Amino acid sequence: MRTHIVEDFSQPPDDGGALRLPSMPDWLARVDRVLGLIVAVPAALLVLAEIVLLFSGVCARYVLHRPLVWGDELASILFLWLAMTGAATALHRGAHMRMTAIVNRAGREWGAIWDTVALVASLLFLGLIAAPAYSYIQQQWMIVTPALEFNDGLRVAAIVYGVGCMLLMCVVKLLATGWKPALIGVVVSAAVVAGLDTAGPLLQSLGNLNLLIFFVGVVGFTVLSGMPIAFSFGLAVFSYLSLSTSMPLEIVVSRMDEGMSQLLLLAVPMFIFLGLLIEMTGMARAMIGFLASLLGHVRGGLSYVLVGAMYLISGISGSKAADMAAVAPILFPEMKKRGERPGELVALLSATGAQTETVPPSIVLITIGSVTGVSISALFTGGLLPGFVLALALCALVWWRSRRAQPVSSMRAPLSQVGKALLVAVPALALPVVIRFAVVEGIATATEVSTVGIVYALLAGLLIYRQFDWKRIGPMLVETAALSGAILIIIGTATAMAWALTQSGFSHSLAAFMEHLPGGAAAFMAVSVVMFVLLGSVLEGIPAIVLFGPLLFPIAREVGIHEVQYAMVVILSMGLGLFSPPFGVGYYGACAVSKIHPDEGIRPIVGYMIALFIGIVVIAAVPWISIGFLKTP
């Protein structure tokens, strides 16, 4: 019988740390291929449909002056299907993020056992979510969308479809592991489940101590033992609700739906596809050629370009994941050619994601203004300089780390060569200008603007650079869906975890503690920095702002801290937590976008996080950085 080698179910395909599975029988391989097709083909078509729909909305509103009133509604319906089929495609292709630092040190035999335990735990999460997902469809069945009069149950059926496909994929991979590892994995998982179930009555009496048990203990253990990050978050939420509360589990599915269905996040797949298109059309090569001629003689030159590019492009999409997806595919290939280590690249990309959280027009700034009453225009004015201060801190560290590195070119390029490279690169360099112009002039929304860039890149590739491979479009659409699904399902399960923290009463207890701190403004600011770094690692910026902003901003005003300065410190502290491993969701988003394994960035990122923390302390200590350019009343 012919056999096929099975690819890792939870690591990038080019990772090299594949799941330790034996050969897969031919009949099982055929089943696996069919499962891959029934999610990859719809996912690719959905990406294409969203691109066409969003760009049609731009044309209808700006050119024909007849907006598609149903456009956002249809885009939202398709988006959840894109997120779930993309997540299933990511599972099949091995694109889900997981930490394997401990597993890789366990040896081949024990590593295979840990891999199987992680696989069974993933099966457990998917099995737990299946029934509540079906019940959630029934709850939504009576809801009809206002413009299209579309049954909302058909929209949320995407969750059941995606979960069902992922369940079958995990079963196929479990069948391929062999009886011994599979038996050990099932026995270990069953023992843990039985132990927790037996301890249920005790857990219910522990109150908020369960938050520490499940959201620190369970999440920390499962993440570090190699379970996919999204499934780890989801399993912790399910365990917490089912064992320590009496809340219905359908709530977890509804919170995941809320997290994955934010229309703003549609910018993530659009910018991922734009990044792939820029590379395919030769625009990336033109831009890198110019930047290399300009900074090739400088040690760490392209690292400075990465910091500056993230600062300039930040806020265009409203999503850090989308910002990173727009920059990383352009710069990383050339930076790798120039000897940069992959771990260093993803560490710096994560750091720039945290650095640019206050650069307007940021959706986090808009959110904090809307829930706290702080002037959004003042936040926009105050957000530029703090981001620049952190950029200087990162550049200082880049200089220190690269001071002994040998530049690729030891001589400065002649002006004629720089001018020629600039002439070739002008159409490509104009892309960020076109994107920002489209947003500022109201031509496209933050969600739609990526499609303007896609059409521009398409025309530039066909008419200017004459480099366009139609055969690559299909694989690019599938890759876009897989990367997007891997990111979106993490956001969905993280949103469910944020909701569980809110319902526990933890937020009000924390606010009461902060209000009675001794030491005045300095102590309040110091505790706020530490607290929001920790919160940022488990909550995304928007949920954390909605939870704690209305509670803490009045306290900040009472102790004499300017609300704009406090907003900057809060946002940057949350950004630091969001992009800090092992819990920070943003870090895994950076790894997914750059297709670099999380393990590689753990050591290099420590220095960047320290640099950012020092910068935040300076911003907290010097109010002028945040409020110096505000108009005084």
Side-chain angles (χ1 to χ4, degrees):
M1 180 182 294
R2 289 177 299 166
T3 57
H4 297 262
I5 301 301
V6 179
E7 191 177 31
D8 185 354
F9 85 106
S10 59
Q11 294 182 359
D14 58 353
D15 185 277
L19 188 66
R20 301 161 180 85
L21 298 180
S23 299
M24 180 180 285
D26 187 61
W27 70 271
L28 207 53
R30 285 198 297 269
V31 173
D32 190 59
R33 283 197 298 271
V34 170
L35 287 173
L37 286 174
I38 65 175
V39 291
V41 173
L45 294 175
L46 285 164
V47 173
L48 182 61
E50 292 283 24
I51 293 171
V52 173
L53 177 60
L54 292 180
F55 189 71
S56 298
V58 175
C59 295
R61 184 180 60 253
Y62 190 75
V63 179
L64 303 178
H65 304 291
R66 298 183 63 180
L68 303 177
V69 293
W70 45 265
D72 284 352
E73 192 173 288
L74 180 57
S76 180
I77 293 168
L78 297 178
F79 186 39
L80 185 59
W81 278 91
L82 169 58
M84 291 308 301
T85 54
T89 303
L91 184 61
H92 185 263
R93 291 165 59 89
H96 278 288
M97 290 291 103
R98 65 177 193 145
M99 291 285 293
T100 58
I102 296 177
V103 176
N104 288 342
R105 290 171 172 80
R108 184 171 184 82
E109 184 176 353
W110 279 102
I113 292 173
W114 273 114
D115 280 332
T116 308
V117 170
L119 178 58
V120 174
S122 301
L123 262 171
L124 178 62
F125 164 68
L126 294 168
L128 285 171
I129 200 175
Y134 180 75
S135 299
Y136 184 55
I137 292 178
Q138 295 176 315
Q139 292 177 12
Q140 300 297 108
W141 198 258
M142 301 303 294
I143 300 176
V144 177
T145 59
L148 295 174
E149 298 184 351
F150 188 84
N151 191 309
D152 197 56
L154 298 176
R155 180 186 67 86
V156 299
I159 299 176
V160 172
Y161 181 81
V163 168
C165 291
M166 288 189 282
L167 258 173
L168 292 174
M169 290 174 187
C170 288
V171 169
V172 167
K173 295 180 185 299
L174 187 62
L175 291 175
T177 59
W179 71 269
K180 185 178 179 180
L183 179 62
I184 294 175
V186 170
V187 169
V188 170
S189 300
V192 173
V193 171
L196 288 174
D197 187 59
T198 303
L202 175 62
L203 292 172
Q204 291 185 3
S205 66
L206 295 179
N208 281 350
L209 185 60
N210 286 306
L211 299 176
L212 188 65
I213 295 173
F214 290 101
F215 296 137
V216 177
V218 173
V219 171
F221 175 77
T222 52
V223 167
L224 294 176
S225 63
M227 187 176 177
I229 306 302
F231 297 167
S232 176
F233 287 175
L235 187 60
V237 177
F238 265 106
S239 302
Y240 169 73
L241 292 181
S242 60
L243 295 174
S244 64
T245 74
S246 57
M247 296 181 185
L249 297 181
E250 291 82 5
I251 294 177
V252 178
V253 184
S254 69
R255 296 305 97 187
M256 288 179 60
D257 175 23
E258 179 185 339
M260 292 186 291
S261 298
Q262 300 175 55
L263 199 58
L264 184 66
L265 292 174
L266 187 52
V268 173
M270 299 299 101
F271 270 100
I272 289 174
F273 184 76
L274 176 58
L276 295 173
L277 193 62
I278 290 171
E279 186 275 328
M280 188 262 279
T281 56
M283 295 175 68
R285 188 177 297 108
M287 284 189 279
I288 296 301
F290 167 65
L291 294 172
S293 67
L294 195 65
L295 295 169
H297 63 285
V298 177
R299 292 183 176 90
L302 292 185
S303 295
Y304 300 126
V305 173
L306 175 59
V307 175
M310 280 295 291
Y311 185 88
L312 292 174
I313 202 171
S314 180
I316 290 177
S317 68
S319 165
K320 290 297 112 180
D323 294 341
M324 292 186 294
V327 172
I330 301 173
L331 287 175
F332 277 19
E334 182 65 24
M335 293 177 78
K336 288 179 181 178
K337 290 179 184 177
R338 290 169 173 262
E340 293 285 358
R341 296 186 301 274
E344 190 77 25
L345 296 181
V346 76
L348 182 55
L349 181 65
S350 299
T352 56
Q355 164 228 330
T356 55
E357 287 281 79
T358 64
V359 178
S362 166
I363 190 64
V364 180
L365 290 176
I366 295 171
T367 302
I368 207 168
S370 65
V371 301
T372 64
V374 181
S375 167
I376 293 177
S377 62
L379 291 171
F380 278 13
T381 303
L384 287 168
L385 193 53
F388 184 73
V389 169
L390 294 193
L392 292 179
L394 292 179
C395 287
L397 183 57
V398 167
W399 172 82
W400 176 261
R401 288 186 169 181
S402 61
R403 70 192 187 283
R404 294 189 180 131
Q406 185 66 31
V408 173
S409 174
S410 59
M411 297 180 61
R412 186 187 299 270
L415 288 178
S416 59
Q417 182 180 335
V418 175
K420 183 178 179 180
L422 174 60
L423 186 63
V424 174
V426 163
L429 293 171
L431 177 60
V433 178
V434 170
I435 290 175
R436 188 167 288 278
F437 177 81
V439 173
V440 173
E441 295 299 318
I443 298 172
T445 66
T447 306
E448 298 167 336
V449 71
S450 52
T451 62
V452 175
I454 289 171
V455 172
Y456 178 88
L458 179 69
L459 295 175
L462 289 172
L463 303 178
I464 300 175
Y465 293 102
R466 304 291 181 91
Q467 183 176 330
F468 201 93
D469 186 357
W470 289 101
K471 294 180 181 178
R472 290 183 58 187
I473 295 297
M476 285 165 55
L477 291 170
V478 174
E479 184 174 356
T480 297
L483 287 175
S484 303
I487 294 169
L488 293 169
I489 196 169
I490 291 177
I491 293 174
T493 52
T495 301
M497 190 160 62
W499 176 87
L501 285 171
T502 306
Q503 295 302 308
S504 68
F506 172 73
S507 57
H508 290 283
S509 300
L510 185 60
F513 167 75
M514 295 282 288
E515 189 173 7
H516 295 94
L517 277 175
F524 181 79
M525 186 71 89
V527 173
S528 294
V529 170
V530 175
M531 182 189 75
F532 278 103
V533 168
L534 296 175
L535 287 174
S537 68
V538 294
L539 296 172
E540 282 208 274
I542 292 176
I545 287 295
V546 172
L547 293 179
F548 297 102
L551 299 172
L552 296 181
F553 270 72
I555 303 174
R557 283 192 288 265
E558 287 181 11
V559 298
I561 300 174
H562 196 286
E563 54 196 7
V564 172
Q565 183 199 13
Y566 189 64
M568 298 304 124
V569 172
V570 163
I571 292 171
L572 293 173
S573 299
M574 283 193 303
L576 179 60
L578 180 65
F579 286 90
S580 297
F583 298 113
V585 177
Y587 174 72
Y588 301 107
C591 293
V593 166
S594 56
K595 293 181 283 188
I596 295 172
H597 196 274
D599 291 354
E600 299 192 53
I602 294 296
R603 293 186 66 181
I605 202 173
V606 173
Y608 290 115
M609 294 297 107
I610 292 174
L612 289 176
F613 182 77
I614 293 173
I616 293 170
V617 171
V618 171
I619 293 167
V622 184
W624 184 87
I625 296 174
S626 303
I627 64 176
F629 293 101
L630 298 182
K631 294 181 180 179
T632 55

